[in-house]
Amino acid sequence: EFRRVLFRSGKTKSDVVTLISAINNANVLMATPALKQIQDDGSVSAEASYFLAAQVAGMFAGNPIQEPMTYKYVNALGVDVQYSPQDLDDLDVAGACAVEVVPNKGYRIAHSQSTWLTDLNVVKREWSVGRIADFIKVGLEDALVRFVGTGGSITKIGRAHV
């Protein structure tokens, strides 16, 4: 069972950085900014940033576990905040999953990473690597659970298949 959370962010870079520093969790991805979408009446306006978080979650769910979302394009007509290159660098260091504008192409995820800031542990920092680690952990637990409560031997270790 995997427990990962995608979270929406505040509106300004400062809001996003403050939220991330308060969370600091390898299982949380902070998506920013809000995306602009077409409304029922035909107008275009910004949706709440949790729509971006939901879109990124769907992208992860629909792709192989090892597939990173970095540089993958999102479905949007625009963003409510267009971060400068320096803002994107600052958000990257802060642990945000920010969307950047690519002229004449669209809007893509600059870096699919968690809000983990304690160290540079790639399993905790990189969202796709963490998903692989979760997958391996669950597979290993499933393979070894039948040996719980039994005596250990090299023969039993050889029978454990993941």
Side-chain angles (χ1 to χ4, degrees), residues 75-138:
N75 183 8
L77 296 175
V79 290
D80 74 334
V81 177
Q82 188 169 336
Y83 295 118
S84 71
Q86 183 60 55
D87 287 344
L88 287 167
D89 287 346
D90 295 344
L91 288 166
D92 186 54
V93 170
C97 177
V99 168
E100 64 183 341
V101 178
V102 180
N104 303 317
K105 291 223 176 195
Y107 308 91
R108 71 180 182 192
I109 298 168
H111 191 177
S112 58
Q113 63 182 334
S114 76
T115 61
W116 181 260
L117 300 171
T118 304
D119 56 37
L120 296 177
N121 182 335
V122 71
V123 172
K124 292 185 176 187
R125 188 75 192 237
E126 295 294 329
W127 192 262
S128 57
V129 178
R131 290 179 70 220
I132 294 168
D134 288 347
F135 181 78
I136 291 169
K137 176 183 170 280
V138 169

Side-chain angles (χ1 to χ4, degrees), residues 7 20 26 28 30 41 52 58 64 76 80 87-88 91 118-119 124 130 142 146 149 152 161:
F7 218 90
I20 290 171
V28 177
M30 182 70 70
D41 64 2
L52 170 59
D80 74 334
D87 287 344
L88 287 167
L91 288 166
T118 304
D119 56 37
K124 292 185 176 187
D142 289 348
R146 64 188 167 131
H161 299 287

Side-chain angles (χ1 to χ4, degrees), residues 41-54:
D41 64 2
S43 65
V44 175
S45 64
E47 301 282 359
S49 57
Y50 55 78
F51 285 98
L52 170 59

